[in-house]
Amino acid sequence: MPEPTKKDETENESAPPPPEQKAPQEGGNEKGKDVVIREMTSSSDEDDTSVSTPPADGMSKPAERKDSVWSLGEGAPEESEKRDDDAQRSTLFVEKPQSGTVSVGGNITFIAKVEAKDLLRKPNVKWFKGKWMDLASKAGKHLQLKESFERHTKIHTFEMQIIKAKENYAGNYRCEVSYKDKFDSCSFDLEVTESSQAAPSIDIRSAFKRSGEGQEDAGELDFSGLLKRREVKQQEEEPEVDVWDLLKNANPSEYEKIAFQYGITDLRGMLKRLKRMRREVKKSAAFAKGLDPAYQVDKGGKVRFMVELADPTVELKWYKNGQEIRPSAKYIFEHKGNQRILFINNCTMTDDARYYVTAGDEKCSTELFVRDPPILVTKGLEDTSTYVGERVELSCEVSEDDANVKWFRNGVELSNDPKSRYRIKVEGKKHTLVIEEAAKNDTATYSVMTTGGQSEAKLSVDLRPLKISLALEDQTVRLGQEIHLKCEISENVEGKWYKNGQLIEASDRVKLYHKGRIHRFVIPVSAVDDEGEYMFVPDAYNINIPCKVHIVDPPKLHLDGLGENNTVTVVAGNKLRLEIPITGEPPPKVFWSRGDKMVTDSGRIRAESYPDSSCLVIDAAEREDSGPFRITLKNEAGEDTALINIKVVDVPDPPQAPNVTEVGEDWCIMTWEPPANDGGSPILGYFIERKKKQSSRWMRLNFELCKETTFEPKKMIEGVAYEVRVFAVNAIGMSKPSMPSKSFVPLAVTSPPTLLAVDSVTDTSVTMKWRPPDQIGAAGLDGYVVEYCFEGTDEWIVANPELTDKTKFTINGLPTGSKILVRVKAVNAAGESEPKYHPQPILVKEVIEPPKIRLPRHLKQTYTRRVGETVNLVIPFQGKPRAKVSWEKNGSPINKNDINIRNTEQDTIIFIRKAERGHSGEYDMKVEVENLVDKATIDIQIVDRPGPPEIVTIEDVWGENVNLSWKPPKDDGNAAITGYTIQKADKKSMEWFTVIEHYHRTSATINELVIGNEYYFRVFAENMCGLSEDATMTKESALIAKDGKVYKYPVYDDFDFSERPLFTQPLVNTFAVAGYNATLNCSVRGNPKPKITWMKNKVLIMNDPRYRMFSNQGVCTLEIRKPSPYDGGTYTCRAVNELGEAEVDCKLEVRVIYHGVINPGEPLSLAGDNQLHSKDF
């Protein structure tokens, strides 16, 4: 759409501007043609020596735009015809844009609406001017495209708004909408009326401006006017158009159109010569100025070739298609200094050739194009009216024989394709468009166009009056026979068949025939539904030919749905409604009878009639209703009869009450007898239900029929009384329930006792302990029976004649040194449980258990408490008999008035009600059993808040900064100093404000102080208990002077924080209880951050789900999930970085609980004396 802008003359000389390209427009109006700038692409497959000519530098980019105009072009005829066909097949527009008129400088809007009811997404809409120019890329100051969607009406609205219209905006426009395989198109016209100041129209043909015939510049093209802006001046001449330049810069698809428009007959020859033009003009030594790439002249005109020589003495020769040119009246040679000029007078088509001039060994060539004069329409087309099917000829005459003429239908070009229904005939100057058999849709405006003019005419095709030669006749057809309808009309046109107003389509059953003026309708095998009123309607005529078809059929009973021997079974008490389908045309009469008695249409047994069936109805069927019933059909075409047997059945009687023969923990076994009466149908199975005795809610136990008369109910609650009952089922249904069985209660003995172990052994007794059974049941637990037998015998002796309800029992009176086997049984109302055996014989002899202190894990490290808190430590131990416990603090006996000690057989407790710092120290614990001793040490640390720092001094004051230093406090509170808190106070107000917290060094610089103020500073020390109670204040104040000296900051080297790995807290040997998670902890530091790996027995631990590894802030943790004895061993933690590596290891011992006793490796016969204290867990 953009219009080229005006350029300077100097630019036009170096780069020829793009010429205007003229396209045909409906109505013969040639003004307002627009410029289309395209680059020319040429093929190089025809001539090996040819070189394609690229566009000049000025053509590589579009010219600058001042105003926007629109291009008018032509589309391919095949595409336009295809779109016309698609538009006929599918209609998407609900409102089409209408033609309009606007004055120059005015605005106008065109609106198109598309209904979106059947569309899943927005349709694609395009706006075109002419036949190919897409306006989507031309939107700007003068053109705006808008779209909107109304959700309530589901309408898409598309608008094209033209702003400040110009004369060349006038023409034909088109709007296309497409959605998947649907397409619709609409054309409309825009007329732009001239205002009082409108400029005269511009004719592109006047672009061929020549200089004087006899002047030096004759034959050269003036391109400067093509780039000048079209201004409103009456006296201004329009620039010429060079066809060669058009072809060079146009798209190859437009060559044929340009050739036709400018009268080029030998397009193929011109393109071959065009390809021979060189892309670049090489600098010549002989020619100071060579020939132009091409020249153009009208037939009969004069052309001038001029070259300028570098050496005027060089001999020059001119050639035409390789033949030397001699001077004559046609060819005139002229010399002007270094210029050599050739004039060719009275140019003809034979002068259209390749010319070159030689100077020594060098050659300069060009092409001359001779254009025919425009072809004029001497006799135009005439409006024509005809009938459908007639031959139509539209003729015109032109000024030249066999001229190139193009035909258009509604602006779309027609091709002379053999497959096309349009045929173009040429007889000298006469050109004729022939339509052999005109159709209704041939009504249109047809136009013819030449290079010098055009003409158009309207063709109107109407229908001939229709007469009915043979009408349809009414028919009566027997069911299954052929229906054949035939009619004849005066015209050979298509038509449609209707039945009862509904359109009939051809199918495998319905055959439609059309031959000439005869139309036939055939159904080979008729059906009842084929009866009705038929009608034939010729296409395009408001006439219909009707007839009626009547179908007759003998009566027939359809008994396919009945059982064997036409037997129908009904349940007693139910209503029987037996529907028998019947057919017959006309509808037959129906008669029902039972024996000699007819069945009427009223009463308990009655007959009901319907158009396509008959019903026998029996209300509340009884056994006496069983027997044969006869049905008879009669109509004018015959009769049909059949016997139907009615059988009345019932549900079975209920079975007898079931018996429960056996009872278990949550089950029982029940049996029953079949019912005495099966109701006339075999028993298919039984359903069983149960309920609690105190409940009224029955629950079904089986959802599939039980075929037997025995069943085992399960999943009952132990100790609850139940009842059961049975239902019998046959093909008719389910009987009433049987009487419930006698109530019963499921009971079961308990499971065996668990964890039977030896508690203690003396020289004459053995004490056993155990845990209650895992499952006791509803019968409860009455007690236990303990039995034993001597090793080598099978005689079990009851140790407790009466039941014991405790889980510990001592067997007395045993001989010293004997070995016994022990078992325990649980007893309840259901009896004795299975016995629980001790796995090994027990030696009746007291055993010494060496002392062993079970130091809790958290006491293996320093035990820290704050001053005033309570210390309560429980340390379990083992050792028999009569273990002795003693305590010492820092090697001296403990003052029992200050520290309380309490000892038992299994543990010792150290208790300090209110801890003081003097209680800190190492506490040594010793356990003695005869000559055996075990020791353990506990490090207790009682901490308190630290004292204040010793001295705080002001080291330096500069600018807004003060440098402080201090000494650590003498009293660190028995814990490491973790940091310092620094506060400042203005001397005037003495209000303290914190400036730094948790500061680790003993010197600091306070920044951003107020100039002119005087400050005091104080420092608090901090440890794990908190800040010190007091703070140390500077003795002197720091004055922030207004005009202080400039402080020069000292230069410090960057501190190297690199450090090889170092374990600050090693791993500690420990033990774990099998089945309980265990963790190993250590801490490491290093920079760069070291990589942590764990090993077990020097084997790397990787991808094992039993281990989890953590590393947080240098603390490394290995978690072992539910360890077993196999997990015991040496564990190593390795830290590696680029500076080195470090390792730390420990031993892990995993101990197994043997029935409440923890002592791995000890014989079970001795484990009875070794109890695991509960506080160990």
Side-chain angles (χ1 to χ4, degrees):
M1 286 186 63
E3 177 181 283
T5 58
K6 186 175 180 179
K7 290 189 177 180
D8 296 334
E9 294 296 333
T10 56
E11 293 182 359
N12 298 337
E13 293 176 2
S14 60
E20 293 189 352
Q21 178 177 342
K22 185 170 72 175
Q25 188 177 17
E26 293 184 10
N29 185 12
E30 297 181 354
K31 66 180 180 178
K33 301 300 193 298
D34 305 318
V35 177
V36 179
I37 300 176
R38 301 181 183 274
E39 289 187 1
M40 181 190 72
T41 57
S42 59
S43 60
S44 59
D45 57 351
E46 296 185 7
D47 192 348
D48 294 338
T49 62
S50 64
V51 179
S52 61
T53 304
D57 294 339
M59 295 296 293
S60 62
K61 297 182 180 179
E64 297 180 357
R65 298 175 174 90
K66 292 184 179 179
D67 285 324
S68 298
V69 297
W70 302 339
S71 299
L72 178 62
E74 297 177 354
E78 296 81 355
E79 182 181 357
S80 301
E81 292 178 3
K82 179 179 178 181
R83 291 177 176 173
D84 289 343
D85 295 340
D86 293 339
Q88 294 175 8
R89 291 195 299 268
S90 172
T91 300
L92 298 175
F93 284 116
V94 296
E95 180 179 332
K96 299 181 179 180
Q98 304 297 322
S99 300
T101 304
V102 66
S103 59
V104 174
N107 301 337
I108 188 171
T109 302
F110 297 94
I111 299 176
K113 294 185 178 181
V114 178
E115 186 173 6
K117 180 174 63 176
D118 299 328
L119 308 182
L120 299 180
R121 57 180 175 81
K122 186 184 73 174
N124 186 21
V125 174
K126 293 184 178 180
W127 298 85
F128 296 89
K129 182 179 182 188
K131 303 173 183 65
W132 79 86
M133 177 56 66
D134 189 352
L135 299 181
S137 62
K138 310 301 179 183
K141 182 172 66 174
H142 293 276
L143 173 68
Q144 293 184 2
L145 303 179
K146 300 180 180 179
E147 60 182 55
S148 61
F149 177 68
E150 180 61 39
R151 297 185 179 273
H152 300 291
T153 59
K154 295 186 177 180
I155 296 294
H156 286 282
T157 301
F158 301 90
E159 298 182 6
M160 181 182 74
Q161 185 177 8
I162 298 173
I163 304 172
K164 296 182 180 179
K166 300 182 179 181
E167 286 186 7
N168 53 3
Y169 290 4
N172 179 260
Y173 292 80
R174 186 172 74 257
C175 178
E176 292 183 358
V177 58
S178 60
Y179 176 78
K180 292 185 178 179
D181 56 346
K182 298 181 180 180
F183 178 81
D184 203 354
S185 176
C186 174
S187 298
F188 56 95
D189 296 323
L190 171 62
E191 180 181 356
V192 181
T193 60
E194 297 182 0
S195 61
S196 59
Q197 294 82 12
S201 60
I202 300 174
D203 187 2
I204 194 69
R205 293 185 178 278
S206 62
F208 286 92
K209 182 183 71 173
R210 303 292 181 184
S211 300
E213 286 289 332
Q215 299 177 8
E216 293 182 359
D217 59 348
E220 295 184 356
L221 298 181
D222 181 11
F223 293 102
S224 61
L226 293 178
L227 288 181
K228 294 181 179 180
R229 183 175 181 181
R230 298 174 184 173
E231 299 181 0
V232 184
K233 293 182 179 180
Q234 296 286 348
Q235 67 276 9
E236 183 181 68
E237 293 185 358
E238 297 187 3
E240 291 185 352
V241 172
D242 192 334
V243 177
W244 176 84
D245 204 30
L246 284 178
L247 291 172
K248 184 179 71 173
N249 296 285
N251 192 292
S253 62
E254 300 178 351
Y255 287 167
E256 184 177 355
K257 178 163 63 69
I258 295 174
F260 169 77
Q261 183 175 351
Y262 293 99
I264 299 173
T265 57
D266 187 12
L267 175 62
R268 185 180 299 275
M270 174 179 283
L271 294 179
K272 288 183 179 179
R273 291 155 59 192
L274 190 64
K275 287 174 56 180
R276 291 198 295 267
M277 302 306 301
R278 298 179 180 177
R279 289 181 178 268
E280 298 179 0
V281 179
K282 296 183 179 178
K283 187 173 182 180
S284 173
F287 295 98
K289 180 178 180 182
L291 296 172
D292 290 343
Y295 294 84
Q296 179 174 310
V297 66
D298 289 336
K299 185 177 180 181
K302 178 181 179 181
V303 68
R304 172 180 175 267
F305 297 149
M306 187 273 290
V307 296
E308 186 175 342
L309 298 176
D311 183 5
T313 62
V314 176
E315 182 181 0
L316 200 71
K317 292 185 180 181
W318 295 86
Y319 294 87
K320 170 186 175 183
N321 288 338
Q323 299 294 326
E324 185 177 358
I325 301 174
R326 300 294 182 181
S328 64
K330 184 175 182 69
Y331 302 102
I332 299 174
F333 296 93
E334 183 178 338
H335 293 193
K336 288 184 178 181
N338 290 349
Q339 295 182 351
R340 302 294 183 265
I341 304 171
L342 169 64
F343 292 95
I344 304 176
N345 298 320
N346 194 19
C347 292
T348 64
M349 297 306 295
T350 59
D351 295 322
D352 189 290
R354 181 169 182 259
Y355 294 81
Y356 63 90
V357 58
T358 60
D361 296 334
E362 295 195 19
K363 181 173 65 172
C364 180
S365 62
T366 186
E367 296 284 346
L368 176 62
F369 298 97
V370 180
R371 193 184 74 164
D372 278 337
I375 306 300
L376 302 178
V377 179
T378 57
K379 183 179 179 181
L381 301 175
E382 297 180 356
D383 294 343
T384 305
S385 298
T386 185
Y387 290 113
V388 173
E390 294 292 337
R391 176 185 172 92
V392 178
E393 292 187 358
L394 299 176
S395 301
C396 70
E397 293 183 3
V398 296
S399 59
E400 298 289 341
D401 290 340
D402 299 329
N404 189 7
V405 175
K406 291 192 176 183
W407 290 86
F408 298 87
R409 177 182 180 272
N410 289 338
V412 179
E413 185 179 351
L414 301 177
S415 63
N416 198 13
D417 191 352
K419 297 181 180 180
S420 175
R421 61 192 312 272
Y422 302 99
R423 186 165 56 88
I424 300 174
K425 182 170 64 175
V426 180
E427 299 173 350
K429 298 180 179 180
K430 184 177 181 181
H431 293 255
T432 305
L433 176 66
V434 180
I435 304 174
E436 294 295 341
E437 293 184 2
K440 183 69 175 177
N441 56 4
D442 288 329
T443 299
T445 299
Y446 294 82
S447 59
V448 62
M449 180 178 292
T450 66
T451 59
Q454 68 177 17
S455 176
E456 68 176 26
K458 294 184 179 179
L459 173 62
S460 177
V461 182
D462 297 325
L463 297 172
R464 291 180 182 274
L466 184 68
K467 296 181 181 180
I468 300 175
S469 303
L470 177 63
L472 298 176
E473 297 180 354
D474 295 342
Q475 295 185 12
T476 299
V477 181
R478 190 178 181 87
L479 184 67
Q481 293 183 350
E482 182 184 66
I483 300 176
H484 191 167
L485 305 179
K486 178 181 178 183
C487 68
E488 183 177 354
I489 55 180
S490 60
E491 297 296 329
N492 182 15
V493 296
E494 297 288 339
K496 296 181 177 59
W497 291 86
Y498 294 86
K499 175 191 172 186
N500 298 330
Q502 298 295 324
L503 178 65
I504 301 175
E505 300 287 348
S507 63
D508 295 340
R509 185 173 176 273
V510 178
K511 310 295 182 183
L512 303 180
Y513 300 97
H514 173 211
K515 184 176 181 181
R517 298 177 298 171
I518 299 176
H519 295 265
R520 294 187 298 126
F521 176 91
V522 178
I523 298 179
V525 180
S526 62
V528 176
D529 294 339
D530 294 330
E531 182 174 346
E533 295 184 0
Y534 289 79
M535 179 173 58
F536 176 75
V537 179
D539 288 346
Y541 288 93
N542 190 17
I543 297 176
N544 60 76
I545 307 173
C547 73
K548 293 183 179 181
V549 176
H550 180 58
I551 306 296
V552 295
D553 184 27
K556 184 178 180 180
L557 291 166
H558 298 274
L559 305 176
D560 299 337
L562 300 181
E564 186 179 358
N565 298 326
N566 295 337
T567 300
V568 177
T569 303
V570 61
V571 178
N574 290 354
K575 179 179 180 179
L576 172 65
R577 184 179 181 86
L578 177 61
E579 184 174 358
I580 305 297
I582 61 175
T583 57
E585 191 65 31
K589 294 184 179 181
V590 184
F591 303 95
W592 286 88
S593 63
R594 183 182 183 188
D596 297 336
K597 186 178 179 181
M598 299 296 295
V599 177
T600 63
D601 57 357
S602 63
R604 189 176 65 86
I605 301 176
R606 61 186 181 276
E608 297 179 357
S609 296
Y610 298 95
D612 56 353
S613 64
S614 179
C615 288
L616 175 65
V617 180
I618 302 177
D619 293 332
E622 301 173 357
R623 289 186 180 270
E624 292 75 12
D625 296 334
S626 300
F629 285 76
R630 180 178 295 276
I631 179 173
T632 303
L633 304 181
K634 291 182 180 181
N635 72 353
E636 60 187 27
E639 70 175 52
D640 192 10
T641 185
L643 283 176
I644 299 175
N645 296 317
I646 304 298
K647 181 180 179 182
V648 180
V649 297
D650 201 355
V651 297
D653 293 342
Q656 298 294 324
N659 296 322
V660 178
T661 59
E662 189 175 352
V663 176
E665 178 182 0
D666 62 346
W667 55 271
C668 71
I669 296 177
M670 54 182 291
T671 60
W672 63 90
E673 296 295 330
N677 183 7
D678 61 2
S681 180
I683 298 296
L684 300 179
Y686 302 90
F687 284 119
I688 296 91
E689 291 183 349
R690 77 164 183 232
K691 77 175 184 69
K692 297 177 182 178
K693 183 177 180 181
Q694 303 301 328
S695 174
S696 60
R697 180 170 172 257
W698 290 90
M699 182 178 68
R700 179 162 295 181
L701 301 182
N702 61 319
F703 294 96
E704 294 183 0
L705 289 175
C706 176
K707 307 294 184 180
E708 307 295 333
T709 57
T710 301
F711 188 75
E712 182 180 353
K714 296 181 179 180
K715 297 182 180 180
M716 291 183 287
I717 301 175
E718 185 181 359
V720 178
Y722 287 90
E723 294 178 351
V724 292
R725 66 182 184 183
V726 182
F727 295 84
V729 180
N730 63 4
I732 309 306
M734 186 170 60
S735 69
K736 294 181 179 180
S738 67
M739 294 298 293
S741 66
K742 294 181 180 180
S743 62
F744 61 93
V745 179
L747 290 174
V749 297
T750 67
S751 61
T754 60
L755 300 179
L756 177 62
V758 177
D759 184 60
S760 63
V761 180
T762 65
D763 292 338
T764 59
S765 65
V766 173
T767 302
M768 305 297 296
K769 64 179 181 179
W770 61 89
R771 298 295 301 276
D774 292 335
Q775 298 178 358
I776 295 178
L781 179 63
D782 296 337
Y784 301 94
V785 174
V786 181
E787 298 178 341
Y788 69 95
C789 72
F790 292 99
E791 186 179 20
T793 65
D794 295 333
E795 181 182 359
W796 289 94
I797 303 171
V798 177
N800 56 329
E802 296 183 357
L803 295 178
T804 177
D805 56 353
K806 301 185 180 300
T807 58
K808 187 175 182 181
F809 186 78
T810 300
I811 305 174
N812 296 312
L814 298 175
T816 302
S818 63
K819 292 185 177 181
I820 62 173
L821 298 174
V822 180
R823 68 182 184 184
V824 180
K825 299 178 182 178
V827 181
N828 67 358
E832 295 181 349
S833 68
E834 293 293 328
K836 176 65 177 179
Y837 291 90
H838 192 273
Q840 294 179 353
I842 301 171
L843 178 64
V844 182
K845 183 177 180 182
E846 189 169 8
V847 179
I848 296 176
E849 180 181 357
K852 183 66 176 179
I853 300 174
R854 303 293 185 182
L855 190 64
R857 186 178 306 166
H858 67 281
L859 296 180
K860 292 180 181 180
Q861 300 176 358
T862 301
Y863 183 77
T864 304
R865 281 291 180 271
R866 295 186 180 184
V867 172
E869 292 183 347
T870 300
V871 177
N872 187 15
L873 303 179
V874 179
I875 299 94
F877 63 87
Q878 63 185 36
K880 290 184 180 180
R882 296 171 293 281
K884 181 180 178 182
V885 181
S886 61
W887 284 90
E888 289 183 352
K889 176 186 174 185
N890 297 328
S892 301
I894 293 177
N895 184 5
K896 296 184 179 181
N897 296 328
D898 192 18
I899 301 175
N900 297 322
I901 304 293
R902 184 178 64 84
N903 299 324
T904 65
E905 293 181 359
Q906 292 86 16
D907 58 24
T908 178
I909 299 175
I910 180 170
F911 178 78
I912 304 174
R913 184 176 301 278
K914 190 173 182 180
E916 298 178 357
R917 291 177 60 178
H919 294 146
S920 300
E922 292 186 355
Y923 290 77
D924 298 323
M925 173 184 174
K926 181 170 65 175
V927 179
E928 297 177 316
V929 176
E930 295 185 356
N931 295 328
L932 302 176
V933 179
D934 190 16
K935 296 181 180 180
T937 301
I938 301 174
D939 187 5
I940 298 178
Q941 181 180 7
I942 308 300
V943 298
D944 197 0
R945 291 196 293 178
E950 290 190 27
I951 301 175
V952 179
T953 59
I954 298 175
E955 299 291 342
D956 193 7
V957 178
W958 73 98
E960 301 174 1
N961 309 305
V962 173
N963 181 257
L964 302 177
S965 65
W966 61 89
K967 294 183 179 180
K970 293 182 179 180
D971 183 10
D972 61 0
N974 205 21
I977 299 298
T978 58
Y980 299 91
T981 297
I982 306 169
Q983 293 182 345
K984 68 178 180 180
D986 190 352
K987 184 177 181 180
K988 297 178 181 179
S989 62
M990 289 307 291
E991 293 183 7
W992 293 97
F993 298 94
T994 300
V995 292
I996 300 178
E997 291 182 311
H998 312 301
Y999 190 72
H1000 297 285
R1001 299 181 181 180
T1002 57
S1003 63
T1005 299
I1006 311 302
N1007 303 319
E1008 298 181 359
L1009 298 175
V1010 178
I1011 295 176
N1013 288 2
E1014 191 172 356
Y1015 291 93
Y1016 284 98
F1017 300 92
R1018 68 182 181 182
V1019 181
F1020 291 86
E1022 182 181 3
N1023 64 5
M1024 61 183 295
C1025 295
L1027 297 176
S1028 60
E1029 294 182 359
D1030 300 324
T1032 303
M1033 191 177 70
T1034 58
K1035 295 181 180 180
E1036 300 177 355
S1037 62
L1039 176 62
I1040 309 301
K1042 294 184 179 180
D1043 295 323
K1045 65 178 180 179
V1046 178
Y1047 176 75
K1048 183 177 181 181
Y1049 289 92
V1051 179
Y1052 298 101
D1053 294 334
D1054 293 337
F1055 184 76
D1056 186 8
F1057 291 94
S1058 300
E1059 182 183 6
R1060 63 178 297 165
L1062 175 65
F1063 283 93
T1064 58
Q1065 178 65 39
L1067 293 173
V1068 178
N1069 294 338
T1070 185
F1071 73 91
V1073 179
Y1076 294 85
N1077 291 357
T1079 57
L1080 302 178
N1081 299 280
C1082 63
S1083 61
V1084 64
R1085 73 183 185 191
N1087 190 23
K1089 182 179 179 181
K1091 179 181 178 182
I1092 305 301
T1093 56
W1094 290 87
M1095 294 180 290
K1096 174 189 173 185
N1097 297 330
K1098 302 302 180 180
V1099 176
L1100 189 64
I1101 299 175
M1102 293 182 61
N1103 300 325
D1104 193 334
R1106 295 183 301 111
Y1107 297 94
R1108 286 203 305 173
M1109 306 173 193
F1110 307 95
S1111 179
N1112 184 18
Q1113 300 296 328
V1115 178
C1116 306
T1117 303
L1118 174 67
E1119 180 181 359
I1120 307 172
R1121 297 182 176 181
K1122 298 184 178 179
S1124 63
Y1126 171 77
D1127 293 315
T1130 300
Y1131 286 82
T1132 304
C1133 180
R1134 175 184 293 171
V1136 180
N1137 67 5
E1138 59 187 23
L1139 300 179
E1141 66 178 36
E1143 289 185 357
V1144 64
D1145 54 19
C1146 70
K1147 291 184 180 180
L1148 174 66
E1149 181 181 0
V1150 181
R1151 302 182 179 180
V1152 183
I1153 299 176
Y1154 292 93
H1155 308 293
V1157 177
I1158 176 168
N1159 197 0
E1162 185 178 36
L1164 288 177
S1165 60
L1166 304 178
D1169 295 334
N1170 302 332
Q1171 299 183 12
L1172 179 64
H1173 199 278
S1174 61
K1175 293 185 176 59
D1176 221 7
F1177 294 90

